[in-house]
Amino acid sequence: MVTSVCWFLLREIENRIEADHPVPAPASTGEESEEDQQFLSIFQQIAGDQMEISANELKDVLNKVVSTYKDIHIEGFSRESCRSMIALMDMDGTGRLNLQEFRHLWNKIKQWQGIFKRYDFDYIGTISSYEMRNAINDAGFRLNNQLYDIVIIRYANENMNVDFDSFVSCLVRLEGMFRAFHAFDQCGDGTIRLNVLEWLQLTMYA
Amino acid sequence: MVTSVCWFLLREIENRIEADHPVPAPASTGEESEEDQQFLSIFQQIAGDQMEISANELKDVLNKVVSTYKDIHIEGFSRESCRSMIALMDMDGTGRLNLQEFRHLWNKIKQWQGIFKRYDFDYIGTISSYEMRNAINDAGFRLNNQLYDIVIIRYANENMNVDFDSFVSCLVRLEGMFRAFHAFDQCGDGTIRLNVLEWLQLTMYA
């Protein structure tokens, strides 16, 4: 559970564009649910002695866990969304997740899953583009209309619906991009200046 | 075939980071190969009266065409790489590709396929991380070691090999990001200044 929240507000012209940016979840308190134990066990089996997992292994572990869910219809995660998740959470630049990074990611996915479920009224595994706006909002991101439209064009299917894999991919990218902007906006004037190396570093590992 | 090239050079500290940026390919000259005709026919079947295709339809059409190839082993394109391709080529912001945009993309894919084939010596459908550097270079992008490492971490599998779908995803993102940087570096000093709206517009539709 996220116990504290640091806020950074990013304003733009007429609209308010911002992210409620949760700090990393604390390490386990020792009181673990059955799901947590199941998750740890699967992680250990897949990660082996290295105790780190690659994108493909992340895909396997996540899909194993969500396949057991009875109350939400999730088709499964794609390799690409798992790669994006690793890029977001990989703090030591190994391209793999250790247990702590994975646990942090897992907490996020559970939170996002709760939001998605709230809008997937009819249990078909997708939410509409209108619901997507509310879901993004619930996840802590305030965008303007232009950005909501961009997100829908990028992540919805041809029927303007968004599945859970795309929803997670979208939130992962939003969180990564808000975080990067915040890190570079050190004087807090709402703009960042980047050279090409910085630009490519930020955008190629995302 | 790309008939002319405009260059933009982007320099950084000790290393040279640049892209040989091809301008959009010209419209068909009327002399079409059998493959071009096959491609146009498939496009028309899938696009229907609208003559525009979505990411899923793009995936279908590309996978139909590459499945007929005898001289290269391609597993197929993922939905995610097709979405990225649409974001790169979609000049009118519809989230779909018209015939001209698709033809431009097709020319790129053929060019990238030729490069990939050159390095996939043993016809297993992947290239090594070392070959990936050369392949990126052949595609017109000069990165520094740091960026090559980032690209490998992001796009290679756990055996440090890159399949064609990931290779294309990488080049699509590189091209999009170089193009975006160039567009914002109007005074040509090698840096760009962005507010949060511009930052998210550039990075969320990619």
Side-chain angles (χ1 to χ4, degrees):
Chain A
M1 201 180 85
V2 176
T3 52
S4 66
V5 172
C6 74
W7 298 71
F8 56 89
L9 307 182
L10 302 164
R11 292 163 185 274
E12 177 53 31
I13 315 173
E14 304 150 337
N15 295 291
R16 206 167 178 192
I17 301 169
E18 63 188 46
D20 312 343
H21 191 65
V23 294
S28 166
T29 57
E31 287 180 30
E32 291 182 334
S33 68
E34 190 181 331
E35 185 182 281
D36 285 337
Q37 284 170 13
Q38 179 197 13
F39 144 85
L40 178 62
S41 161
I42 292 175
F43 180 86
Q44 284 171 326
Q45 284 170 36
I46 292 184
D49 294 339
Q50 268 192 311
M51 283 300 276
E52 283 196 331
I53 55 173
S54 66
N56 271 334
E57 289 164 345
L58 176 63
K59 183 169 165 250
D60 288 344
V61 69
L62 289 180
N63 287 339
K64 268 194 189 172
V65 175
V66 300
S67 69
T68 64
Y69 290 171
K70 300 282 182 286
D71 58 344
I72 184 168
H73 178 78
I74 297 176
E75 285 287 342
F77 292 95
S78 63
R79 178 180 69 171
E80 183 55 29
S81 65
C82 292
R83 283 178 169 176
S84 296
M85 289 184 228
I86 287 197
L88 179 72
M89 294 297 165
D90 172 25
M91 295 303 163
D92 48 8
T94 58
R96 304 168 73 91
L97 295 189
N98 60 33
L99 182 60
Q100 192 183 358
E101 291 164 342
F102 183 47
R103 190 178 288 281
H104 183 191
L105 172 63
W106 183 244
N107 287 331
K108 280 192 180 298
I109 291 174
K110 280 201 293 190
Q111 181 197 353
W112 294 339
Q113 179 202 328
I115 295 168
F116 189 86
K117 207 164 63 174
R118 202 179 305 151
Y119 292 102
D120 181 18
F121 307 111
D122 36 15
Y123 183 67
I124 51 171
T126 61
I127 58 176
S128 72
S129 55
Y130 178 76
E131 291 154 358
M132 177 72 170
R133 288 180 174 230
N134 292 329
I136 289 173
N137 205 54
D138 290 359
F141 301 99
R142 317 272 175 268
L143 309 183
N144 64 10
N145 286 337
Q146 203 176 346
L147 285 168
Y148 281 122
D149 289 345
I150 286 174
V151 160
I152 298 301
I153 286 179
R154 177 62 178 76
Y155 292 97
N157 65 17
E158 51 269 44
N159 301 317
M160 304 298 276
N161 294 320
V162 179
D163 63 22
F164 188 63
D165 183 54
S166 301
F167 179 60
V168 169
S169 293
C170 173
L171 295 184
V172 162
R173 192 175 290 190
L174 269 175
E175 180 156 336
M177 293 303 118
F178 266 109
R179 184 201 285 169
F181 189 92
H182 178 57
F184 272 80
D185 181 23
Q186 288 179 339
C187 62
D189 70 349
T191 64
I192 56 175
R193 181 177 282 280
L194 303 170
N195 62 37
V196 68
L197 177 61
E198 291 162 341
W199 168 252
L200 292 175
Q201 281 172 334
L202 291 175
T203 56
M204 290 306 295
Y205 195 45
Chain B
M1 203 179 85
V2 176
T3 52
S4 65
V5 172
C6 74
W7 296 72
F8 55 90
L9 306 183
L10 302 166
R11 291 161 184 273
E12 179 52 32
I13 315 174
E14 302 152 338
N15 295 291
R16 204 166 179 193
I17 301 168
E18 62 188 48
D20 313 342
H21 192 63
V23 295
S28 165
T29 58
E31 287 179 30
E32 291 181 333
S33 67
E34 192 181 330
E35 185 183 282
D36 286 337
Q37 284 170 13
Q38 179 198 14
F39 144 85
L40 178 61
S41 162
I42 293 175
F43 181 86
Q44 285 171 328
Q45 284 170 37
I46 293 184
D49 293 339
Q50 268 192 311
M51 284 299 277
E52 282 196 331
I53 55 174
S54 66
N56 271 334
E57 289 164 344
L58 175 63
K59 183 169 165 251
D60 289 343
V61 68
L62 290 180
N63 286 339
K64 268 195 188 171
V65 175
V66 300
S67 70
T68 64
Y69 289 172
K70 300 283 181 284
D71 58 344
I72 184 169
H73 179 78
I74 297 176
E75 285 287 345
F77 293 95
S78 64
R79 178 181 68 170
E80 183 55 27
S81 65
C82 291
R83 284 178 168 176
S84 295
M85 289 184 227
I86 287 196
L88 178 73
M89 293 295 166
D90 173 23
M91 295 303 162
D92 48 8
T94 57
R96 304 168 74 91
L97 295 189
N98 60 33
L99 181 59
Q100 193 183 359
E101 290 164 342
F102 182 46
R103 189 178 289 280
H104 182 190
L105 172 63
W106 183 245
N107 286 333
K108 279 191 181 299
I109 291 174
K110 280 200 294 187
Q111 184 197 352
W112 293 340
Q113 178 202 327
I115 295 168
F116 190 85
K117 205 163 65 174
R118 204 180 304 152
Y119 291 102
D120 182 18
F121 307 111
D122 36 13
Y123 183 67
I124 52 170
T126 60
I127 58 177
S128 71
S129 55
Y130 178 76
E131 292 156 354
M132 178 72 169
R133 289 181 174 229
N134 291 331
I136 289 173
N137 206 54
D138 290 359
F141 300 100
R142 317 270 175 272
L143 309 183
N144 64 11
N145 286 337
Q146 202 176 347
L147 285 168
Y148 281 122
D149 289 345
I150 286 174
V151 160
I152 298 301
I153 287 178
R154 177 63 179 75
Y155 291 98
N157 65 17
E158 52 269 45
N159 302 317
M160 304 298 276
N161 295 319
V162 180
D163 63 21
F164 189 62
D165 184 53
S166 300
F167 178 60
V168 168
S169 293
C170 173
L171 295 184
V172 162
R173 192 175 289 191
L174 270 175
E175 180 156 336
M177 292 304 118
F178 266 108
R179 185 201 285 169
F181 190 92
H182 178 58
F184 272 80
D185 181 24
Q186 288 179 338
C187 62
D189 71 348
T191 65
I192 56 174
R193 180 175 283 279
L194 304 170
N195 61 38
V196 69
L197 177 60
E198 291 162 340
W199 167 252
L200 291 175
Q201 281 172 333
L202 290 176
T203 56
M204 291 305 294
Y205 195 47

